[in-house]
Amino acid sequence: MASVTSLTASVHQRLADALSAALPEAGSADPLLRRSDRADFQANGILALAKKAKANPRELATQVVARVESGDVIKDIEVSGPGFLNITITDKAITENLAARYEDGERLGVPLAQNPGTTVIDYAQPNVAKEMHVGHLRSAVIGDAVVQILEFTGESVVRRHHIGDWGTQFGMLIQYLIEHPHELDHKGEAEVSGEEAMSNLNRLYKAARTLFDSDEEFKTRARRRVVDLQAGEPETLAMWQKFVDESKIYFYSVFDKLDMEIRDPDVVGESGYNDMLDETCRLLEESGVAVRSDGALCVFFDDVKGPDGNPVPLIVKKSDGGYGYAATDLSAIRDRVFNLKANTLVYVVDARQSLHFKMVFETARRAGWLSDDVRAQQLAFGTVLGKDGKPFKTREGETVRLVDLLDEAIERATAVVREKDTLGQLSEEEISERGTQVGIGAVKYADLSTSANRDYKFDLDQMVSLNGDTSVYLQYAYARIQSILRKAGEVHPAAHPGLELAPAERELGLHLDRFAETIAEVAGEYAPHKLAAYLYQLASLYTTFYSECPVLKADTPAQVENRLFLCDLTARTLHQGMALLGIRTPERL
């Protein structure tokens, strides 16, 4: 693979060299280059440098212009206003740059990170024996996109699904299953569907809860069972494993519907850290990071106080000897740092848990498990809201089941695909397959195109709309290009650097060149919404190009080939960018 130097980087280098020559005392100065409406680029860095050197900015700008190497890349450079530089680059430089990206196959000239490390991403954390709801959607979708993007840049990524598979609620469930041993049995040899597995668990949960609330003797037996579970008593563990296995059938069916790959070794639930809890507490207490308070092992913070002004501690071990979430989370940090050798830990977790994670990370820093070289951060996400702007609930005030939501999205999208297929070119099977890809893509894109920490409205009508900032708009742009490439028949895309470019071609070309910079920024900030914004702008610029520049009916054969080349590179960039967001791009729509 060949990483391609972007046009921005080429222009930046030429300006930086000219700046150093005009003002040697400035050392390696930043010309502060950005895209501009007035020219291809504008450089604003001269003002600050002139101020520092007590020079006249316009004069300094003129001296820089005189020293800029123009020709192959820079066509024209002029001083504007108090000392800005407006820079236009040559058509040839744009086409040659894009040709190099085109030659680089799927990577499109995107370089691998220079110093890749190991990142553990903790995302998609459903609870055993519980239905997944709309709140689980964001952690799964955002986490999966960040995994794909980081892997594309060459980072070594370890996925972790920290499922809720431990705790006192299992005493009640296990005791009920021991007394009603056939409740989770599967009938016949047929594979059990996710829906079936969940309804088995739901039925058992309700029955166990009713008994627990009405029968004191059962309640006592259930509480004793928790002690057996924590002690690792074999029969109890075997029953617990049944709940985990049944739940996995359900989880995996939901993730499959979300078109996400979840692998068994990546699922390490709370139970996975049981053997470390004692030692975690011992290490914290011996080092003085945690102290005993009213019989509990606690960590205190100067800046965390309750409404009464008293400090609110992180409780690592309760006074009754039970462990809190903190003990598990701190043990997971030890495992990820010392066993998995991670440099970065990213937690894709609801913003409402921010205080908990702030305290956990600070505790791990005090214990020396996190440092300047090993960092942890929460990628906090906001709430999914209904159209009324309130947290998304059913009419009955229940949280919305994730499966119902996805099924409805697929149904709506299938109707849109069927409606668009006016000539009846698609078979029922194709309509159904595309409806699924469009529906799931719509849900993911609506989530990913919003900055993670903001709340967003779940509006299916808007999500599957062909107009506006939706995945369907991007998928249709991609399918339209594939249709043009099919119609071109024997005429193949080819770059012709000697051709003059129309304004819409230039705009499209300059945006295509920014793909690599965008990926680097998105990976560095864990900000998939910036990739979504880039792709939406790409599709919009393509739409303008398509309406202003005839492709197959262009003036000359060379121009036809060059425009097909721009079409094809746009399609590849859309395809790769959408894949990094976990969204499919059907060839025909």
Side-chain angles (χ1 to χ4, degrees):
M1 61 146 279
S3 74
V4 178
T5 305
S6 72
L7 294 167
T8 314
S10 300
V11 174
H12 186 282
Q13 191 56 56
R14 285 166 170 75
L15 285 181
D17 292 348
L19 263 172
S20 303
L23 199 64
E25 63 271 29
S28 57
D30 186 352
L32 296 181
L33 195 65
R34 61 181 182 82
R35 291 276 283 119
S36 162
D37 299 337
R38 298 208 169 80
D40 294 333
F41 295 100
Q42 187 175 59
N44 305 341
I46 288 175
L47 298 174
L49 284 171
K51 199 172 173 184
K52 222 164 150 188
K54 301 198 173 23
N56 174 322
R58 263 194 85 91
E59 280 174 19
L60 178 58
T62 310
Q63 287 172 27
V64 170
V65 169
R67 287 178 165 83
V68 168
E69 209 190 297
S70 58
D72 58 340
V73 174
I74 295 177
K75 179 182 177 185
D76 189 38
I77 180 165
E78 56 166 36
V79 180
S80 117
F84 299 126
L85 297 180
N86 285 338
I87 301 132
T88 306
I89 57 179
T90 64
D91 289 352
K92 183 171 183 267
I94 295 176
T95 307
E96 282 179 346
N97 173 285
L98 298 181
R101 294 192 181 286
Y102 191 75
E103 287 304 308
D104 190 35
E106 280 187 353
R107 288 208 66 82
L108 301 165
V110 177
L112 291 166
Q114 282 176 323
N115 303 305
T118 298
T119 298
V120 174
I121 300 191
D122 186 325
Y123 68 109
Q125 308 103 347
N127 293 310
V128 164
K130 283 197 183 156
E131 190 94 59
M132 286 175 74
H133 57 77
V134 68
H136 291 114
L137 176 70
R138 299 210 71 185
S139 177
V141 169
I142 295 166
D144 187 53
V146 174
V147 167
Q148 307 293 341
I149 290 160
L150 289 184
E151 284 183 340
F152 188 65
T153 65
E155 182 77 359
S156 173
V157 179
V158 180
R159 309 152 189 233
R160 277 291 172 266
H161 307 294
H162 189 87
I163 62 172
D165 65 354
W166 204 247
T168 50
Q169 74 278 16
F170 284 101
M172 170 183 95
L173 296 173
I174 292 168
Q175 189 58 37
Y176 187 85
L177 190 57
I178 284 174
E179 294 174 18
H180 304 82
H182 300 297
E183 282 296 302
L184 286 183
D185 289 358
H186 294 161
K187 308 193 181 23
E189 293 299 299
E191 233 176 80
V192 179
S193 71
E195 198 65 19
E196 217 178 315
M198 195 62 237
S199 84
N200 285 341
L201 290 163
N202 270 338
R203 193 185 61 246
L204 193 150
Y205 188 89
K206 281 180 186 146
R209 184 86 242 177
T210 308
L211 197 57
F212 187 84
D213 291 340
S214 62
D215 181 335
E216 281 304 316
E217 287 178 3
F218 176 75
K219 191 181 271 188
T220 307
R221 292 197 298 277
R223 288 191 170 140
R224 271 205 299 261
R225 190 59 64 184
V226 177
V227 180
D228 292 339
L229 177 65
Q230 287 171 341
E233 191 274 317
E235 187 197 14
T236 307
L237 275 184
M239 289 295 165
W240 167 80
Q241 190 63 49
K242 276 192 163 183
F243 283 100
V244 175
D245 293 343
E246 194 77 6
S247 299
K248 276 185 174 177
I249 296 173
Y250 163 69
F251 295 158
Y252 288 2
S253 75
V254 179
F255 290 126
D256 193 46
K257 191 164 276 192
L258 269 170
D259 197 12
M260 276 172 54
E261 183 195 26
I262 299 272
R263 301 181 296 229
D264 238 13
D266 306 335
V267 180
V268 182
E270 293 166 348
S271 63
Y273 305 101
N274 284 344
D275 298 348
M276 299 174 72
L277 300 177
D278 260 352
E279 193 184 7
T280 296
C281 292
R282 184 174 60 73
L283 292 168
L284 291 172
E285 195 169 8
E286 282 175 5
S287 60
V289 173
V291 293
R292 294 272 165 193
S293 172
D294 296 334
L297 188 61
C298 303
V299 183
F300 288 92
F301 307 86
D302 294 338
D303 57 348
V304 185
K305 295 189 168 60
D308 53 5
N310 290 331
V312 176
L314 181 71
I315 299 173
V316 186
K317 194 173 189 178
K318 300 174 202 161
S319 53
D320 66 3
Y323 296 101
Y325 286 124
T328 310
D329 286 331
L330 287 160
S331 299
I333 288 177
R334 285 177 53 217
D335 177 56
R336 292 165 186 187
V337 172
F338 300 111
N339 296 336
L340 300 175
K341 305 281 187 271
N343 322 87
T344 313
L345 309 179
V346 177
Y347 291 76
V348 189
V349 184
D350 192 314
R352 287 171 290 197
Q353 295 188 44
S354 294
L355 180 60
H356 169 77
F357 279 100
K358 181 183 157 193
M359 291 158 83
V360 165
F361 296 159
E362 177 54 31
T363 300
R365 262 192 291 277
R366 290 181 190 175
W369 305 333
L370 294 174
S371 61
D372 291 345
D373 301 327
V374 183
R375 59 193 186 87
Q377 83 170 72
Q378 181 190 0
L379 181 49
F381 56 83
T383 309
V384 180
L385 308 173
K387 282 188 195 178
D388 57 2
K390 297 188 179 123
F392 203 18
K393 297 269 194 278
T394 61
R395 286 207 181 94
E396 295 72 44
E398 306 267 313
T399 34
V400 181
R401 293 171 68 218
L402 184 48
V403 179
D404 294 343
L405 210 73
L406 300 177
D407 286 342
E408 193 182 342
I410 290 169
E411 204 178 303
R412 296 276 186 96
T414 305
V416 171
V417 172
R418 181 172 278 117
E419 207 175 298
K420 284 289 284 183
D421 182 32
T422 43
L423 303 175
Q425 292 174 315
L426 299 175
S427 68
E428 270 308 304
E429 197 181 332
E430 287 172 318
I431 287 175
S432 152
E433 184 195 2
R434 287 183 199 157
T436 303
Q437 293 181 348
V438 170
I440 296 299
V443 170
K444 287 185 175 181
Y445 187 85
D447 195 318
L448 293 168
S449 55
T450 310
S451 165
N453 55 13
R454 287 179 42 210
D455 301 343
Y456 81 98
K457 280 188 187 168
F458 198 93
D459 179 349
L460 275 175
D461 294 327
Q462 175 50 38
M463 287 179 190
V464 298
S465 159
L466 299 172
N467 304 318
D469 188 0
T470 65
S471 68
V472 195
Y473 176 68
L474 301 177
Q475 286 168 323
Y476 266 102
Y478 177 81
R480 176 191 279 167
I481 297 173
Q482 294 309 322
S483 156
I484 293 170
L485 293 171
R486 283 193 296 272
K487 276 186 195 143
E490 294 300 301
V491 185
H492 294 295
H496 290 275
L499 288 179
E500 197 176 313
L501 298 177
E505 292 177 292
R506 290 180 60 89
E507 283 300 309
L508 180 61
L510 286 165
H511 191 68
L512 283 165
D513 173 58
R514 285 187 47 220
F515 185 57
E517 288 162 36
T518 304
I519 294 291
E521 186 181 343
V522 166
E525 297 174 19
Y526 310 121
H529 70 281
K530 291 191 171 179
L531 177 54
Y534 170 88
L535 295 169
Y536 174 60
Q537 202 184 343
L538 177 60
S540 306
L541 288 169
Y542 179 77
T543 304
T544 308
F545 157 80
Y546 181 74
S547 65
E548 290 180 11
C549 305
V551 178
L552 300 176
K553 294 193 168 135
D555 297 340
T556 65
Q559 200 174 40
V560 172
E561 289 177 353
N562 200 62
R563 285 182 179 171
L564 280 173
F565 151 73
L566 282 173
C567 287
D568 198 10
L569 185 58
T570 301
R572 289 186 193 184
T573 307
L574 279 170
H575 174 76
Q576 184 56 271
M578 295 285 267
L580 294 177
L581 295 178
I583 300 173
R584 305 262 173 188
T585 37
E587 299 290 306
R588 293 171 194 260
L589 270 179

